[in-house]
Coordinates of all heavy atoms in Angstrom, one line a residue:
M2 N 3.3 -13.9 29.7 CA 3.0 -14.7 28.6 C 2.2 -13.9 27.5 O 2.4 -14.1 26.3 CB 2.1 -15.9 29.0 CG 1.7 -16.8 27.9 SD 1.7 -18.5 28.4 CE 0.0 -18.8 28.2
I3 N 1.4 -12.9 28.0 CA 0.7 -12.1 27.0 C 1.7 -11.2 26.3 O 1.5 -11.0 25.1 CB -0.3 -11.2 27.8 CG1 -1.4 -12.1 28.3 CG2 -0.9 -10.2 26.9 CD1 -2.4 -11.4 29.2
D4 N 2.8 -10.8 27.0 CA 3.8 -10.0 26.3 C 4.4 -10.8 25.2 O 4.7 -10.2 24.1 CB 4.8 -9.5 27.3 CG 4.3 -8.5 28.4 OD1 3.3 -7.9 28.0 OD2 4.8 -8.5 29.5
Q5 N 4.7 -12.0 25.4 CA 5.3 -12.9 24.4 C 4.4 -13.0 23.2 O 4.8 -12.9 22.0 CB 5.6 -14.2 24.9 CG 6.8 -14.3 25.9 CD 7.0 -15.6 26.5 OE1 6.2 -16.5 26.3 NE2 8.1 -15.8 27.2
Q6 N 3.1 -13.1 23.4 CA 2.1 -13.3 22.3 C 2.0 -12.0 21.5 O 2.0 -12.0 20.3 CB 0.8 -13.7 22.8 CG 0.7 -15.1 23.3 CD -0.7 -15.4 23.9 OE1 -1.5 -14.5 24.2 NE2 -0.9 -16.7 24.1
Q7 N 2.1 -10.8 22.2 CA 2.0 -9.5 21.5 C 3.3 -9.3 20.7 O 3.3 -8.8 19.7 CB 1.8 -8.4 22.5 CG 0.4 -8.4 23.1 CD 0.3 -7.3 24.2 OE1 1.2 -6.7 24.6 NE2 -1.0 -7.1 24.6
G8 N 4.4 -9.8 21.3 CA 5.7 -9.7 20.6 C 5.7 -10.5 19.3 O 6.2 -10.1 18.3
R9 N 5.1 -11.7 19.3 CA 5.0 -12.5 18.1 C 4.1 -11.8 17.1 O 4.3 -11.9 15.9 CB 4.4 -13.9 18.5 CG 5.4 -14.7 19.2 CD 4.8 -16.1 19.5 NE 5.6 -16.8 20.5 CZ 5.1 -17.6 21.4 NH1 3.9 -17.9 21.3 NH2 5.9 -18.2 22.3
E10 N 2.9 -11.3 17.6 CA 2.0 -10.6 16.6 C 2.7 -9.4 16.0 O 2.6 -9.2 14.8 CB 0.8 -10.2 17.4 CG -0.1 -11.3 17.8 CD -1.3 -10.9 18.6 OE1 -1.5 -9.6 18.8 OE2 -2.1 -11.7 19.1
Q11 N 3.5 -8.6 16.8 CA 4.2 -7.5 16.2 C 5.2 -7.9 15.2 O 5.4 -7.3 14.2 CB 4.7 -6.6 17.3 CG 3.7 -5.9 18.1 CD 4.3 -5.1 19.3 OE1 5.5 -5.2 19.6 NE2 3.5 -4.4 20.0
S12 N 6.0 -9.0 15.6 CA 7.0 -9.4 14.6 C 6.4 -10.0 13.4 O 6.9 -9.9 12.3 CB 7.9 -10.5 15.3 OG 7.2 -11.6 15.6
G13 N 5.2 -10.6 13.5 CA 4.5 -11.1 12.3 C 4.0 -10.0 11.4 O 4.1 -10.1 10.2
E14 N 3.5 -8.9 12.1 CA 3.1 -7.7 11.3 C 4.3 -7.1 10.6 O 4.2 -6.6 9.5 CB 2.4 -6.7 12.2 CG 1.0 -7.2 12.7 CD 0.4 -6.3 13.7 OE1 1.0 -5.2 14.0 OE2 -0.6 -6.6 14.3
A15 N 5.4 -7.0 11.3 CA 6.6 -6.4 10.7 C 7.1 -7.2 9.5 O 7.5 -6.7 8.5 CB 7.7 -6.2 11.7
R16 N 7.0 -8.5 9.7 CA 7.4 -9.4 8.6 C 6.5 -9.3 7.4 O 6.9 -9.2 6.3 CB 7.4 -10.9 9.1 CG 7.8 -11.9 8.0 CD 8.0 -13.3 8.6 NE 8.3 -14.2 7.6 CZ 7.6 -15.2 7.2 NH1 6.5 -15.5 7.9 NH2 7.9 -16.0 6.3
Q17 N 5.2 -9.2 7.7 CA 4.2 -9.1 6.6 C 4.4 -7.7 5.9 O 4.3 -7.7 4.7 CB 2.8 -9.2 7.2 CG 1.7 -9.3 6.1 CD 0.4 -9.5 6.7 OE1 0.2 -9.4 7.9 NE2 -0.6 -9.9 5.9
R18 N 4.7 -6.7 6.6 CA 5.0 -5.4 6.0 C 6.2 -5.4 5.1 O 6.2 -4.9 4.0 CB 5.1 -4.3 7.1 CG 5.2 -2.9 6.6 CD 5.3 -1.9 7.7 NE 4.4 -2.1 8.7 CZ 4.7 -2.3 10.0 NH1 5.9 -2.4 10.4 NH2 3.8 -2.5 10.9
S19 N 7.3 -6.0 5.6 CA 8.5 -6.1 4.8 C 8.4 -7.0 3.6 O 8.9 -6.6 2.5 CB 9.7 -6.6 5.7 OG 9.5 -7.9 6.1
V20 N 7.6 -8.1 3.7 CA 7.3 -8.9 2.6 C 6.5 -8.2 1.6 O 6.7 -8.3 0.3 CB 6.7 -10.2 3.0 CG1 6.2 -11.0 1.8 CG2 7.7 -11.1 3.8
G21 N 5.5 -7.4 2.0 CA 4.7 -6.6 1.2 C 5.5 -5.5 0.4 O 5.3 -5.3 -0.8
V22 N 6.4 -4.9 1.1 CA 7.3 -3.9 0.4 C 8.1 -4.6 -0.7 O 8.3 -4.1 -1.8 CB 8.1 -3.1 1.4 CG1 9.2 -2.3 0.7 CG2 7.3 -2.3 2.3
A23 N 8.7 -5.8 -0.3 CA 9.5 -6.5 -1.3 C 8.7 -7.0 -2.5 O 9.2 -6.9 -3.6 CB 10.1 -7.7 -0.6
A24 N 7.4 -7.4 -2.3 CA 6.6 -7.8 -3.4 C 6.3 -6.6 -4.3 O 6.3 -6.7 -5.5 CB 5.3 -8.4 -2.8
F25 N 6.0 -5.4 -3.7 CA 5.7 -4.2 -4.5 C 6.9 -3.9 -5.3 O 6.8 -3.6 -6.5 CB 5.4 -3.0 -3.5 CG 5.2 -1.8 -4.3 CD1 4.0 -1.5 -4.9 CD2 6.2 -0.8 -4.3 CE1 3.8 -0.3 -5.6 CE2 6.0 0.4 -5.0 CZ 4.8 0.6 -5.7
V26 N 8.1 -3.9 -4.7 CA 9.3 -3.5 -5.5 C 9.6 -4.5 -6.6 O 9.9 -4.1 -7.7 CB 10.5 -3.4 -4.5 CG1 11.8 -3.2 -5.3 CG2 10.3 -2.2 -3.6
A27 N 9.4 -5.8 -6.3 CA 9.6 -6.8 -7.3 C 8.6 -6.6 -8.5 O 9.0 -6.7 -9.6 CB 9.4 -8.2 -6.7
G28 N 7.4 -6.4 -8.2 CA 6.4 -6.2 -9.3 C 6.7 -5.0 -10.1 O 6.6 -5.0 -11.3
L29 N 7.1 -3.9 -9.4 CA 7.5 -2.7 -10.1 C 8.7 -2.9 -11.0 O 8.7 -2.5 -12.2 CB 7.8 -1.6 -9.1 CG 8.2 -0.2 -9.6 CD1 6.9 0.6 -9.7 CD2 9.2 0.5 -8.7
V30 N 9.7 -3.5 -10.5 CA 11.0 -3.7 -11.3 C 10.7 -4.7 -12.5 O 11.2 -4.4 -13.6 CB 12.1 -4.2 -10.4 CG1 13.3 -4.7 -11.2 CG2 12.5 -3.1 -9.4
V31 N 10.0 -5.8 -12.2 CA 9.7 -6.7 -13.3 C 8.9 -6.1 -14.4 O 9.2 -6.3 -15.6 CB 9.0 -8.0 -12.7 CG1 8.5 -8.8 -13.8 CG2 10.0 -8.8 -11.9
T32 N 7.9 -5.3 -14.0 CA 7.1 -4.6 -15.1 C 7.9 -3.6 -15.8 O 7.8 -3.5 -17.1 CB 5.9 -3.9 -14.4 OG1 5.2 -4.9 -13.7 CG2 5.0 -3.3 -15.5
L33 N 8.8 -2.8 -15.2 CA 9.6 -1.8 -15.9 C 10.6 -2.6 -16.8 O 10.9 -2.1 -17.9 CB 10.4 -0.9 -14.9 CG 9.5 0.1 -14.2 CD1 10.3 0.9 -13.2 CD2 8.9 1.1 -15.2
A34 N 11.2 -3.7 -16.3 CA 12.1 -4.5 -17.2 C 11.4 -5.0 -18.4 O 11.9 -5.1 -19.5 CB 12.7 -5.6 -16.3
F35 N 10.1 -5.4 -18.2 CA 9.3 -5.9 -19.3 C 9.2 -4.8 -20.4 O 9.4 -5.0 -21.6 CB 7.9 -6.4 -18.9 CG 7.0 -6.7 -20.0 CD1 7.1 -7.9 -20.7 CD2 6.0 -5.8 -20.4 CE1 6.2 -8.2 -21.7 CE2 5.2 -6.1 -21.4 CZ 5.3 -7.3 -22.1
F36 N 8.8 -3.6 -20.0 CA 8.7 -2.5 -20.9 C 10.0 -2.1 -21.6 O 10.0 -1.6 -22.7 CB 8.0 -1.3 -20.2 CG 6.6 -1.4 -20.0 CD1 6.0 -1.4 -18.8 CD2 5.7 -1.6 -21.1 CE1 4.6 -1.5 -18.6 CE2 4.3 -1.7 -20.9 CZ 3.8 -1.7 -19.7
V37 N 11.1 -2.3 -20.9 CA 12.4 -1.9 -21.5 C 12.9 -2.9 -22.4 O 13.4 -2.6 -23.5 CB 13.4 -1.7 -20.3 CG1 14.8 -1.5 -20.9 CG2 13.0 -0.4 -19.5
F38 N 12.8 -4.2 -22.1 CA 13.5 -5.3 -22.8 C 12.6 -6.1 -23.8 O 13.1 -6.9 -24.6 CB 14.2 -6.2 -21.9 CG 15.3 -5.6 -21.1 CD1 15.2 -5.5 -19.7 CD2 16.4 -5.1 -21.8 CE1 16.2 -4.8 -19.0 CE2 17.4 -4.5 -21.1 CZ 17.3 -4.4 -19.7
F39 N 11.3 -6.0 -23.7 CA 10.4 -6.8 -24.6 C 10.5 -6.3 -26.0 O 10.3 -5.1 -26.3 CB 8.9 -6.7 -24.1 CG 8.0 -7.7 -24.7 CD1 8.1 -9.0 -24.4 CD2 7.1 -7.3 -25.7 CE1 7.3 -10.0 -25.0 CE2 6.3 -8.3 -26.3 CZ 6.4 -9.6 -25.9
P40 N 10.8 -7.2 -26.9 CA 10.9 -6.9 -28.3 C 9.6 -6.4 -28.9 O 8.5 -6.9 -28.6 CB 11.4 -8.2 -29.0 CG 11.4 -9.2 -28.0 CD 11.0 -8.6 -26.7
G41 N 9.7 -5.4 -29.7 CA 8.5 -4.9 -30.4 C 7.9 -3.7 -29.7 O 7.1 -2.9 -30.3
L42 N 8.3 -3.4 -28.4 CA 7.8 -2.3 -27.7 C 8.9 -1.2 -27.9 O 10.1 -1.5 -28.0 CB 7.6 -2.6 -26.3 CG 6.4 -3.5 -25.9 CD1 6.4 -3.8 -24.4 CD2 5.1 -2.9 -26.3
P43 N 8.4 0.1 -27.9 CA 9.5 1.1 -27.9 C 10.2 1.1 -26.5 O 9.6 0.9 -25.5 CB 8.7 2.4 -28.0 CG 7.3 2.1 -27.6 CD 7.1 0.6 -27.9
H44 N 11.5 1.2 -26.6 CA 12.4 1.0 -25.4 C 12.5 2.4 -24.7 O 13.6 2.9 -24.4 CB 13.7 0.5 -25.8 CG 13.6 -0.8 -26.5 ND1 13.1 -2.0 -25.8 CD2 13.9 -1.2 -27.7 CE1 13.2 -3.0 -26.7 NE2 13.6 -2.6 -27.8
V45 N 11.3 2.9 -24.4 CA 11.3 4.2 -23.6 C 10.3 4.0 -22.5 O 9.2 3.5 -22.6 CB 10.7 5.3 -24.6 CG1 10.6 6.6 -23.8 CG2 11.7 5.5 -25.8
I46 N 10.8 4.4 -21.3 CA 9.9 4.4 -20.2 C 9.2 5.7 -20.1 O 9.8 6.8 -19.8 CB 10.7 4.2 -18.9 CG1 11.4 2.8 -18.9 CG2 9.8 4.3 -17.6 CD1 10.5 1.6 -19.0
D47 N 7.9 5.7 -20.4 CA 7.1 6.9 -20.3 C 6.1 6.9 -19.1 O 6.2 5.9 -18.3 CB 6.3 7.1 -21.6 CG 5.3 5.9 -21.9 OD1 5.4 4.9 -21.2 OD2 4.5 6.0 -22.8
W48 N 5.3 7.9 -19.0 CA 4.4 7.9 -17.8 C 3.4 6.8 -17.8 O 3.1 6.3 -16.7 CB 3.7 9.2 -17.7 CG 4.6 10.4 -17.3 CD1 5.1 11.4 -18.0 CD2 5.1 10.5 -16.0 NE1 5.9 12.1 -17.3 CE2 5.9 11.7 -16.0 CE3 5.0 9.8 -14.8 CZ2 6.6 12.1 -14.9 CZ3 5.6 10.3 -13.7 CH2 6.4 11.4 -13.7
G49 N 3.0 6.3 -18.9 CA 2.1 5.2 -18.9 C 2.7 3.9 -18.4 O 2.1 3.2 -17.6
A50 N 4.0 3.7 -18.7 CA 4.7 2.5 -18.2 C 4.9 2.6 -16.7 O 4.9 1.6 -16.0 CB 6.0 2.4 -19.0
I51 N 5.2 3.8 -16.3 CA 5.4 4.0 -14.8 C 4.1 3.8 -14.0 O 4.1 3.1 -13.0 CB 6.0 5.4 -14.5 CG1 7.4 5.5 -15.1 CG2 6.0 5.7 -13.1 CD1 8.0 6.9 -15.1
V52 N 3.0 4.3 -14.6 CA 1.7 4.1 -13.9 C 1.4 2.6 -13.9 O 0.9 2.1 -12.8 CB 0.6 4.9 -14.6 CG1 -0.7 4.5 -14.1 CG2 0.9 6.4 -14.3
V53 N 1.5 1.9 -15.0 CA 1.2 0.5 -15.0 C 2.1 -0.3 -14.1 O 1.7 -1.2 -13.4 CB 1.4 0.0 -16.5 CG1 1.3 -1.6 -16.5 CG2 0.3 0.5 -17.4
A54 N 3.4 0.1 -14.0 CA 4.4 -0.6 -13.1 C 3.9 -0.4 -11.7 O 4.0 -1.4 -10.9 CB 5.8 -0.1 -13.3
V55 N 3.5 0.8 -11.3 CA 3.1 1.0 -9.9 C 1.8 0.2 -9.6 O 1.7 -0.4 -8.5 CB 2.8 2.5 -9.7 CG1 2.1 2.8 -8.4 CG2 4.2 3.3 -9.7
L56 N 0.9 0.2 -10.6 CA -0.3 -0.6 -10.4 C 0.0 -2.1 -10.3 O -0.6 -2.8 -9.4 CB -1.3 -0.4 -11.5 CG -2.0 1.0 -11.6 CD1 -2.8 1.2 -12.8 CD2 -2.8 1.3 -10.3
V57 N 0.9 -2.6 -11.1 CA 1.3 -4.0 -11.0 C 2.0 -4.3 -9.6 O 1.7 -5.3 -9.0 CB 2.2 -4.4 -12.2 CG1 2.8 -5.8 -11.9 CG2 1.3 -4.4 -13.4
G58 N 2.8 -3.4 -9.2 CA 3.4 -3.5 -7.9 C 2.4 -3.5 -6.8 O 2.5 -4.4 -5.9
A59 N 1.4 -2.7 -6.8 CA 0.4 -2.7 -5.8 C -0.4 -3.9 -5.8 O -0.8 -4.5 -4.8 CB -0.5 -1.4 -6.0
L60 N -0.8 -4.4 -7.0 CA -1.5 -5.7 -7.2 C -0.7 -6.8 -6.6 O -1.2 -7.7 -5.9 CB -1.8 -5.9 -8.6 CG -2.6 -7.2 -8.9 CD1 -4.0 -7.1 -8.3 CD2 -2.7 -7.4 -10.4
T61 N 0.6 -6.9 -6.9 CA 1.5 -7.9 -6.4 C 1.5 -7.9 -4.9 O 1.5 -8.9 -4.2 CB 2.9 -7.8 -7.0 OG1 2.8 -7.7 -8.4 CG2 3.8 -8.9 -6.5
R62 N 1.6 -6.7 -4.3 CA 1.7 -6.6 -2.8 C 0.4 -7.0 -2.2 O 0.3 -7.8 -1.2 CB 1.9 -5.1 -2.5 CG 1.9 -4.8 -1.0 CD 2.2 -3.4 -0.7 NE 2.3 -3.1 0.7 CZ 1.2 -2.7 1.5 NH1 0.1 -2.6 0.9 NH2 1.4 -2.5 2.8
W63 N -0.8 -6.7 -2.8 CA -2.1 -7.1 -2.3 C -2.2 -8.6 -2.4 O -2.7 -9.2 -1.4 CB -3.2 -6.4 -3.1 CG -4.5 -6.8 -2.7 CD1 -5.2 -6.5 -1.6 CD2 -5.4 -7.7 -3.4 NE1 -6.5 -7.1 -1.6 CE2 -6.6 -7.8 -2.7 CE3 -5.3 -8.3 -4.7 CZ2 -7.7 -8.6 -3.1 CZ3 -6.4 -9.1 -5.1 CH2 -7.5 -9.2 -4.3
I64 N -1.8 -9.2 -3.5 CA -1.9 -10.7 -3.6 C -1.0 -11.4 -2.6 O -1.4 -12.3 -2.0 CB -1.5 -11.1 -5.1 CG1 -2.6 -10.7 -6.0 CG2 -1.3 -12.6 -5.2 CD1 -2.3 -10.8 -7.5
C65 N 0.2 -10.9 -2.4 CA 1.1 -11.5 -1.5 C 0.6 -11.4 0.0 O 0.6 -12.3 0.7 CB 2.5 -10.8 -1.6 SG 3.7 -11.5 -0.5
Q66 N 0.1 -10.2 0.3 CA -0.5 -10.1 1.7 C -1.7 -10.9 1.9 O -1.9 -11.4 3.0 CB -0.7 -8.6 2.0 CG 0.6 -7.8 2.2 CD 0.4 -6.4 2.7 OE1 -0.7 -5.9 2.5 NE2 1.4 -5.9 3.4
S67 N -2.6 -11.0 0.9 CA -3.8 -11.8 1.1 C -3.4 -13.3 1.2 O -4.0 -14.1 2.0 CB -4.8 -11.6 0.0 OG -4.3 -12.1 -1.2
W68 N -2.4 -13.7 0.5 CA -1.9 -15.1 0.5 C -1.3 -15.4 1.9 O -1.5 -16.4 2.5 CB -0.9 -15.4 -0.6 CG -0.3 -16.7 -0.6 CD1 -0.9 -17.9 -0.9 CD2 1.0 -17.1 -0.3 NE1 -0.1 -18.9 -0.7 CE2 1.2 -18.5 -0.4 CE3 2.2 -16.3 0.1 CZ2 2.3 -19.1 -0.1 CZ3 3.3 -17.0 0.3 CH2 3.4 -18.4 0.2
M69 N -0.5 -14.4 2.4 CA 0.1 -14.6 3.7 C -0.9 -14.6 4.8 O -0.8 -15.3 5.8 CB 1.2 -13.5 4.0 CG 2.4 -13.7 3.2 SD 3.6 -12.4 3.6 CE 4.0 -12.7 5.3
G70 N -2.0 -13.8 4.7 CA -3.1 -13.8 5.6 C -3.8 -15.1 5.7 O -4.2 -15.6 6.8
K71 N -4.0 -15.7 4.5 CA -4.7 -17.0 4.5 C -3.8 -18.1 5.1 O -4.3 -18.9 5.9 CB -5.0 -17.4 3.0 CG -6.1 -16.6 2.4 CD -6.4 -17.1 1.0 CE -7.5 -16.2 0.4 NZ -7.7 -16.5 -1.0
R72 N -2.5 -18.0 4.9 CA -1.6 -19.0 5.5 C -1.6 -18.9 7.0 O -1.5 -19.9 7.7 CB -0.2 -18.9 4.9 CG -0.1 -19.5 3.5 CD 1.3 -19.6 3.0 NE 2.1 -20.4 4.0 CZ 3.4 -20.4 4.0 NH1 4.0 -19.7 3.1 NH2 4.1 -21.1 4.8
S73 N -1.6 -17.6 7.5 CA -1.5 -17.5 8.9 C -2.8 -17.9 9.6 O -2.8 -18.4 10.7 CB -1.2 -16.0 9.3 OG -2.3 -15.2 8.9
K74 N -4.0 -17.7 8.9 CA -5.2 -18.2 9.5 C -5.3 -19.7 9.5 O -5.8 -20.3 10.4 CB -6.4 -17.7 8.7 CG -6.7 -16.2 8.9 CD -7.8 -15.7 8.1 CE -8.0 -14.2 8.3 NZ -9.0 -13.7 7.4
E75 N -4.7 -20.4 8.5 CA -4.7 -21.8 8.4 C -3.8 -22.4 9.5 O -4.1 -23.5 10.0 CB -4.2 -22.3 7.0 CG -5.2 -22.0 5.9 CD -4.7 -22.4 4.6 OE1 -3.5 -22.8 4.5 OE2 -5.4 -22.3 3.6
S76 N -2.7 -21.7 9.8 CA -1.7 -22.3 10.8 C -2.3 -22.1 12.2 O -1.8 -22.8 13.1 CB -0.4 -21.6 10.6 OG -0.5 -20.2 11.0
K77 N -3.2 -21.3 12.4 CA -3.8 -21.1 13.8 C -4.8 -22.1 14.1 O -5.2 -23.0 14.0 CB -4.4 -19.7 14.0 CG -3.3 -18.6 14.0 CD -3.9 -17.3 14.2 CE -2.9 -16.2 14.2 NZ -3.4 -14.9 14.4

């Protein structure tokens, strides 16, 4: 029975990790798309846009993981 509980915890951690990676990539892509397609901005991806996109991706990942952590604590 303990093995089953550990297996669930590991699968939950793996799921949380994969959702975190997906959130990071989504934040990165959406931010880069904003810089490319938003009218009035120069349609050039420079280092500033890349740094901002990485920061937004990291922020999105952090928000997603904290939200998932709160939900898992509420369900227990």
Side-chain angles (χ1 to χ4, degrees):
M2 184 144 115
I3 293 174
D4 293 334
Q5 290 176 348
Q6 289 175 347
Q7 288 176 350
R9 288 183 197 148
E10 290 174 4
Q11 289 176 354
S12 66
E14 291 174 3
R16 180 174 177 238
Q17 191 173 13
R18 188 178 312 117
S19 64
V20 170
V22 169
F25 176 80
V26 171
L29 183 93
V30 169
V31 167
T32 305
L33 287 176
F35 172 79
F36 282 120
V37 169
F38 295 115
F39 191 73
L42 292 175
H44 301 296
V45 176
I46 299 297
D47 58 352
W48 283 108
I51 292 170
V52 169
V53 169
V55 168
L56 291 175
V57 168
L60 180 66
T61 305
R62 180 180 182 266
W63 177 72
I64 290 170
C65 182
Q66 286 189 336
S67 66
W68 178 69
M69 286 182 64
K71 286 180 185 178
R72 283 192 55 198
S73 68
K74 287 179 185 177
E75 289 176 359
S76 66
K77 289 182 180 179

